[in-house]
Structure formats: structure tokens, C-alpha cells
């Protein structure tokens, strides 16, 4: 926050936790059981010194593909248990497409919408819930929310898994 303020800017949030893992399951597919993604989420929570109960919104990697979305839902449910079915979760890829190397950075900026505007962005074009992904995917319209703690997930080719924990200024 002080770095932004020194430049005359208003800080929007701070990264309070970071976690990464590498499962190297396949060159272009994630490990189906979600264990690599779960490890990254656990590491981010540990780095932030928070429990899973602290997370109020998940900005998912959410590619809209069978392999990725199923894996991410399994990882979320494995970490959060039944609560994973109720945490608002969305992806902005239906808005912008998959920006490959830039996806994580652009999506992290979009993850700040709840802090700045009090809304959780939707997953556009969401029509039919997938029984393989029984999480609360915010469908088609934003919802009002003012979370203090957000998780941002990003996954990359070759099994790279990253999670950030973002907090409102003054929360951590």
C-alpha cells in the first residue's frame, strides 16, 4: 500500500498469499484429480496464514474445457469440502478469451472488481451446470458482494499451478 501511496496512487488490494506447484502430468492437460491445483491453493493459504474458510470468492482459471474445469472443480471441492459448492466462483475467459501467458495478470486485475465496485463478475454464456463441476459458478450476470479475501487460480501448460490470495487493504 505504501508503494502505491508514494506514487500518488490509491492501493486497491494487496497480495497476501502465493502458492505454486508443478504436477507435470501432461504437456497440455492438467492432472485430472486436481491434486496439483489443490497444492497451489493450500500453499497460498499457508503463505497468507489463512484457513479455507477465509475465502469469499474464487476467480477461477476456468477455461470452459472438460479437462480443466473438471480438474479445477475437483481441486476446489477437495480443499473446501461442501463449502466449495457455495463459494461464488467465476472466470472472465468468456469475456476475453484465453490470453495464454497474459491470462493470469489480466485475470488478477479483474479479480479486483469486488474490491473496487462491489461486484463479482459472472461467467458469461453459462447455460447448463455440469454435474462434473458442482461448484457455484456465477452465471451470466454479476452479483453484488464485498469480499475481503479472494483466491485467484491460474494454471499453465506442462502442469504449472498458481494461486494468489488477494486482500482488501487493511485486512491482512
Amino acid at each position: 500500500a505504501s508503494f502505491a501511496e508514494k506514487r500518488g496512487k490509491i492501493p486497491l488490494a494487496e497480495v497476501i498469499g502465493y502458492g505454486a506447484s508443478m504436477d507435470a502430468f501432461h504437456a497440455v492437460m492438467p492432472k485430472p484429480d486436481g491434486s496439483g491445483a489443490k497444492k497451489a491453493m493450500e500453499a497460498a493459504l499457508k503463505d497468507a496464514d489463512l484457513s479455507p474458510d477465509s475465502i469469499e470468492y474464487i476467480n477461477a482459471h476456468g477455461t470452459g474445457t472438460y479437462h480443466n474445469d473438471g480438474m479445477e472443480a475437483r481441486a476446489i471441492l477437495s480443499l473446501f469440502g461442501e463449502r466449495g459448492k457455495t463459494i461464488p466462483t467465476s472466470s472472465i475467459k468468456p469475456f476475453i478469451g484465453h490470453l495464454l501467458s497474459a491470462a493470469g495478470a489480466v485475470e488478477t486485475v479483474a479479480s479486483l472488481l469486488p474490491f473496487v465496485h462491489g461486484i463479482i463478475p459472472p461467467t458469461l454464456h453459462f447455460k447448463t451446470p455440469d454435474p462434473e463441476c458442482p461448484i457455484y459458478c456465477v452465471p451470466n450476470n454479476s452479483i453484488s458482494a464485498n469480499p475481503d479475501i479472494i483466491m485467484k487460480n491460474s494454471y499453465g501448460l506442462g502442469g504449472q499451478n498458481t494461486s494468489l490470495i488477494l486482500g482488501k487493504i487493511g485486512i491482512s
Side-chain angles (χ1 to χ4, degrees), residues 61-75:
H61 184 68
T63 59
T65 63
Y66 173 78
H67 292 291
N68 183 86
D69 291 359
M71 174 282 298
E72 190 166 14
R74 284 186 284 283

Side-chain angles (χ1 to χ4, degrees), residues 5 13 15 25 35 39 42 54 56-57 117 143 150 160-161:
E5 291 164 345
V15 176
F25 171 76
S35 60
K39 285 179 187 175
E42 289 172 327
S54 302
E56 299 166 275
Y57 164 56
H117 297 290
I143 59 172
I150 291 171
Q160 302 170 62
N161 306 293

Side-chain angles (χ1 to χ4, degrees), residues 59-105:
N59 183 278
H61 184 68
T63 59
T65 63
Y66 173 78
H67 292 291
N68 183 86
D69 291 359
M71 174 282 298
E72 190 166 14
R74 284 186 284 283
I76 289 168
L77 294 172
S78 179
L79 179 62
F80 293 97
E82 284 297 307
R83 187 169 169 268
K85 295 178 180 179
T86 63
I87 301 169
T89 302
S90 65
S91 171
I92 67 159
K93 282 184 177 73
F95 283 93
I96 62 171
H98 197 316
L99 302 177
L100 299 176
S101 297

Side-chain angles (χ1 to χ4, degrees), residues 3 17 101 121 125 147:
F3 180 72
S101 297
H125 312 295

Side-chain angles (χ1 to χ4, degrees), residues 57 59 106-115 121 150-152 166:
Y57 164 56
N59 183 278
V106 172
E107 293 167 5
T108 299
V109 171
S111 296
L112 303 179
L113 285 169
F115 295 155
I150 291 171
M151 176 177 278
K152 167 65 196 127
L166 306 170

